[in-house]
Amino acid sequence: MDINTQFKKGVLELCVLVLIQKHDRYGYELAEAVSEHVEVAEGALYPLLRRLVKDGYCTTYLQESSEGPPRKYYQLTPEGLQYSKELITAWNAFVHNVANLIEQGEFPKE
Amino acid sequence: MNKLEFIETLRYYLAALPEDERNELLRDYEAHFIYGQQNGKSETEIARELGDPLALAREAIGPDFLPPPPWSPSRRDIPRFIGVSILLFFLNVMFAIPVFASIWAAFIAICAATLSCFLAPVALVAETVLYGNYMPGKWFVAIGMVGIGMLLAVAAKSIGKWLVFITLNYAKWNYKTWRGSH
């Protein structure tokens, strides 16, 4: 497993929360939206979504679709919104700190 | 890997999840396949995008995930099977079946004797009615025979239990030995 996969797995939750925050989405739509930006095993979304629902960060509702099975939409709860804000703050701080660290390290310029 | 293979492999790896949770998760994946196909993707393509079922199951179950052992078709040791079959056949034909048959025959004989002891007074009444040569001494004999019948009945009961027990156990042993450890 390459290092990138581990990184992606970690931020998948953040990506999903941000996407649902914009508007309610169903599983396949989320998978498409995520993989547009990050290459990731799309299947990992569903266990993640299940966990988010279990932890009370999301709720689901079904909506009939003219084509195909009813769509299970995911909606952010107030707790989910709070959590997502915390994650974004933590993420930004983390990226910033790591960037600083790399900056200070003396790497030979390519 | 096509849709069916993907779903069934995942179902197998998700064995540790409660049934309703497992089915719900699998329905999510099935729906994903349907939406993907509506968008013009092939089953194989969708399965590849979804990822490795084993990794997904690990994701779904969490840190306690223990992969169930891979399918192992039950192996049969054919030479052992043939040898044991022949040995058991001769053991049964030459020894076990005759011995069991004679013990059971003896048991049935005891039961018959018990029954006839109990029937002695009935026989006496019938003899008196049909032939009319009644002797008081015969009553003593008939009552004595009922007594013997009671003793025999007690004996027959415990012998019967014991016989059923050893016959069943012998049959089980036969079956287990024949099937081997698999």
Side-chain angles (χ1 to χ4, degrees):
Chain A
M1 192 183 282
D2 67 326
I3 306 168
N4 227 355
T5 323
Q6 292 292 344
F7 282 157
K8 285 172 191 165
K9 239 163 70 179
V11 294
L12 189 57
E13 186 178 29
L14 177 63
C15 296
V16 165
L17 286 169
V18 170
L19 286 169
I20 305 175
Q21 195 184 324
K22 284 187 194 156
H23 58 89
D24 301 354
R25 294 176 195 251
Y26 64 101
Y28 187 80
E29 194 187 356
L30 274 172
E32 294 283 274
V34 171
S35 55
E36 201 175 296
H37 300 281
V38 195
E39 196 184 307
V40 67
E42 294 179 2
L45 267 182
Y46 294 102
L48 170 68
L49 288 168
R50 195 176 128 250
R51 202 151 39 236
L52 289 177
V53 171
K54 228 178 186 174
D55 293 343
Y57 298 141
C58 282
T59 52
T60 61
Y61 59 92
L62 286 179
Q63 196 162 3
E64 292 299 327
S65 149
S66 54
E67 55 215 77
R71 293 167 174 176
K72 194 203 262 179
Y73 276 87
Y74 293 86
Q75 187 176 33
L76 210 60
T77 61
E79 293 81 23
L81 186 63
Q82 182 59 34
Y83 178 61
S84 138
K85 279 179 184 162
E86 283 168 17
L87 265 186
I88 292 168
T89 312
W91 168 258
N92 284 335
F94 178 72
V95 170
H96 182 71
N97 292 340
V98 174
N100 276 349
L101 189 145
I102 294 173
E103 191 83 357
Q104 284 165 16
E106 286 171 14
F107 292 103
K109 289 271 189 288
E110 280 179 39
Chain B
M1 193 181 280
N2 63 23
K3 176 182 172 182
L4 189 69
E5 284 166 339
F6 181 90
I7 297 288
E8 289 312 310
T9 311
L10 191 57
R11 187 193 302 281
Y12 176 73
Y13 285 132
L14 289 177
L17 280 189
E19 201 184 343
D20 49 340
E21 273 186 49
R22 183 172 60 222
N23 287 338
E24 191 177 347
L25 199 54
L26 288 171
R27 266 199 301 277
D28 289 342
Y29 286 108
E30 275 170 16
H32 188 98
F33 269 98
I34 295 171
Y35 299 133
Q37 282 173 303
Q38 281 171 356
N39 284 302
K41 290 181 188 167
S42 72
E43 288 189 1
T44 321
E45 212 174 325
I46 298 165
R48 200 184 49 241
E49 283 176 355
L50 282 173
D52 174 26
L54 181 60
L56 297 178
R58 189 173 282 130
E59 201 77 9
I61 292 171
D64 326 317
F65 180 75
L66 271 180
W71 284 290
S72 56
S74 62
R75 274 187 308 111
R76 270 204 160 169
D77 187 347
I78 300 294
R80 180 202 175 274
F81 181 71
I82 295 171
V84 167
S85 300
I86 293 171
L87 279 177
L88 281 178
F89 177 78
F90 281 107
L91 174 71
N92 282 313
V93 168
M94 313 276 285
F95 177 74
I97 290 176
V99 168
F100 273 104
S102 44
I103 297 176
W104 274 99
F107 173 67
I108 291 167
I110 292 172
C111 290
T114 311
L115 189 66
S116 50
C117 284
F118 280 115
L119 287 177
V122 180
L124 180 61
V125 170
E127 190 196 27
T128 311
V129 171
L130 291 175
Y131 305 106
N133 55 348
Y134 175 75
M135 285 203 306
K138 284 186 178 174
W139 268 115
F140 291 104
V141 176
I143 290 166
M145 283 186 73
V146 170
I148 292 169
M150 282 171 167
L151 291 177
L152 277 176
V154 174
K157 195 179 157 201
S158 46
I159 291 173
K161 265 189 193 164
W162 174 75
L163 256 180
V164 169
F165 176 77
I166 61 164
T167 309
L168 278 181
N169 271 304
Y170 179 72
K172 272 187 209 159
W173 175 82
N174 255 283
Y175 182 70
K176 270 194 212 156
T177 314
W178 183 57
R179 285 293 303 272
S181 54
H182 289 295

